[in-house]
Amino acid sequence: MENKGILVINPGSTSTKIGVFENEKLVFEKNIHHNGEEIEQLNSIQEQISFRKEIIFKVLEENNYNVSNLAIIMARGGLLKPVVSGVYQVNDLMIHDLTNAPKFHASNLAALIANEIAKTQNIAAYIADPVVVDELSDVARYTGHPEFSRISIFHALNQKAVARKFASTIDKNYEDLNLIITHIGGGITVGAHQKGKVIDVNQGYDGEGPFSPERSGTVPSGDLIKKAFSGKYTEKQMHEMIVGKGGVSAYLGTNNMIEVENRIEAGDNKATEVLEAMCYQIGKTIGSMAVALKGKVDAILVTGGVAHSDFVIAKLKDYTEFIAPISVFPGEDELEALAYNGEMILQNNIEVKTYK
């Protein structure tokens, strides 16, 4: 009997999400939570890989899933060199670049773990639409000074998957549509998708764009320079001010959007104003992406965890629905998106690219 299982791996800083799919159906999924102190005691990437790999094997066994039934392994893409959208087989260069990346991010572990498990079964591991997908137009790269260039780091996997899902609901191909896709989670990215390519997007990883539950977004550059050279803050503290401890968290003391909405319902005017300000900034960014598409926008799609919020969706419709109709795809089912790409590989419906 031909193997048909797809193991999907998506690590976080203190968790590892896995799922097993067969014939486009979920067999089981598990969000494995790790003890923070235990993770901190792992002193190398290799120790992290070994630790998480063994836990994945244990969970597969606990769910009575025979690892020999796997056909391929799909992993979330990490901070690699810029690549075009698509699926890539994990190769030696990818392993080298992820292992030696200048910035550590939990997503860097995914392909490394997948490769280790794949080797035990003599099968292949792949990534799909990593965060470094780069399809920016030439003019979108300009910042205003040659020392700086805009780069593309965004929620590529979820944005591309949602785009294809929306296209299928209207019997169209993603490559035939102009879409503005907004991912609202801990970070926020808004992409201008022109006929299957993201020609512009805010670089949410370092905080560019609208402020989010935990990122400050684009702040006044003059004030930022003054604070950086004031002597009051270390480089780490400045970075945390922009990414991690900024945005809604800085204004309200929490990045929990359910708590924020509860405060709004209880009559907290400050919480109401902050959340509306976030929506206002998202709306302005959506408007700028409409300019990137020269006003030819078929739809605005909203996704990510915060897309569950009725308050946020209502405000975004108020600010931007004049541009194009809005469709909402709440959540960020990256496991499903990776499995979808894996199924296309097994059915030979997608070209597998080489990372180089």
Side-chain angles (χ1 to χ4, degrees):
M1 183 177 175
E2 184 180 2
N3 292 355
K4 56 186 177 182
I6 301 172
L7 172 64
V8 180
I9 301 174
N10 181 13
S13 56
T14 58
S15 66
T16 305
K17 294 180 183 177
I18 68 167
V20 173
F21 294 78
E22 291 185 356
N23 297 325
E24 302 183 34
K25 293 183 179 179
L26 177 67
V27 178
F28 77 89
E29 66 178 306
K30 175 76 173 179
N31 189 4
I32 308 164
H33 294 282
H34 309 303
N35 183 291
E37 293 180 0
E38 194 171 19
I39 289 288
E40 288 178 3
Q41 291 174 1
L42 301 174
N43 297 316
S44 68
I45 289 179
Q46 191 55 51
E47 287 182 357
Q48 284 253 19
I49 295 168
S50 299
F51 171 76
R52 298 191 193 223
K53 180 184 74 173
E54 293 308 315
I55 289 178
I56 290 172
F57 274 125
K58 183 179 178 182
V59 170
L60 291 172
E61 183 179 350
E62 289 172 349
N63 284 271
N64 300 312
Y65 192 83
N66 190 338
V67 70
S68 65
N69 290 334
L70 295 175
I72 58 172
I73 303 179
M74 297 296 302
R76 183 182 176 193
L79 294 172
L80 295 159
K81 291 180 290 192
V83 297
V84 297
S85 175
V87 296
Y88 293 80
Q89 185 169 345
V90 178
N91 60 17
D92 290 342
L93 179 59
M94 186 184 296
I95 292 167
H96 173 273
D97 287 356
L98 290 171
T99 305
N100 298 283
K103 289 183 180 181
F104 175 78
H105 191 270
S107 63
N108 288 12
L109 293 169
L112 301 175
I113 297 168
N115 183 62
E116 289 293 316
I117 296 175
K119 285 193 298 186
T120 69
Q121 303 303 309
N122 197 30
I123 57 178
Y126 303 86
I127 65 169
D129 289 330
V131 294
V132 291
V133 165
D134 186 347
E135 301 167 331
L136 296 186
S137 66
D138 291 340
V139 293
R141 299 184 190 280
Y142 280 78
T143 62
H145 195 285
E147 286 291 326
F148 307 99
S149 180
R150 294 188 66 245
I151 61 174
S152 177
I153 301 179
F154 71 109
H155 301 93
L157 178 63
N158 195 41
Q159 286 204 22
K160 293 277 186 176
V162 164
R164 294 187 179 98
K165 185 180 292 186
F166 170 76
S168 69
T169 66
I170 59 171
D171 294 322
K172 298 276 189 180
N173 293 319
Y174 166 48
E175 292 76 14
D176 296 327
L177 298 171
N178 284 351
L179 304 169
I180 298 173
I181 305 182
T182 304
H183 179 112
I184 314 176
I188 295 172
T189 58
V190 184
H193 295 239
Q194 184 180 64
K195 311 300 184 187
K197 292 186 182 297
V198 184
I199 61 170
D200 201 352
V201 65
N202 65 295
Q203 205 272 70
Y205 180 70
D206 284 328
E208 180 191 56
F211 76 78
S212 76
E214 55 189 38
R215 298 178 190 178
S216 295
T218 301
V219 297
S221 55
D223 291 342
L224 183 64
I225 292 168
K226 288 176 184 177
K227 287 196 180 295
F229 286 91
S230 67
K232 295 180 180 179
Y233 307 98
T234 64
E235 181 181 347
K236 180 182 178 184
Q237 288 171 327
M238 287 299 303
H239 188 266
E240 288 177 342
M241 188 183 297
I242 302 300
V243 179
K245 296 181 179 179
V248 174
S249 177
Y251 284 116
L252 299 178
T254 181
N255 62 1
N256 186 320
M257 301 307 287
I258 295 175
E259 180 184 335
V260 173
E261 293 222 35
N262 288 339
R263 285 165 61 170
I264 290 172
E265 290 178 8
D268 187 329
N269 291 331
K270 181 65 175 179
T272 303
E273 188 171 83
V274 167
L275 197 54
E276 176 152 2
M278 186 184 84
C279 296
Y280 174 69
Q281 290 198 1
I282 297 169
K284 288 203 297 181
T285 308
I286 289 172
S288 71
M289 295 305 163
V291 171
L293 295 171
K294 299 179 180 178
K296 298 174 183 177
V297 184
D298 293 302
I300 298 168
L301 311 183
V302 185
T303 184
V306 183
H308 286 287
S309 166
D310 291 338
F311 180 100
V312 169
I313 297 304
K315 290 297 179 183
L316 288 182
K317 286 183 176 181
D318 188 33
Y319 283 122
T320 67
E321 206 165 29
F322 73 94
I323 297 171
I326 294 178
S327 292
V328 183
F329 296 82
E332 46 184 300
D333 199 338
E334 291 175 323
L335 295 185
E336 181 183 331
L338 286 167
Y340 172 79
N341 281 277
E343 197 63 42
M344 286 197 293
I345 294 171
L346 293 181
Q347 295 176 6
N348 295 315
N349 286 336
I350 194 168
E351 174 194 359
V352 175
K353 295 179 170 64
T354 301
Y355 179 73
K356 55 188 177 181

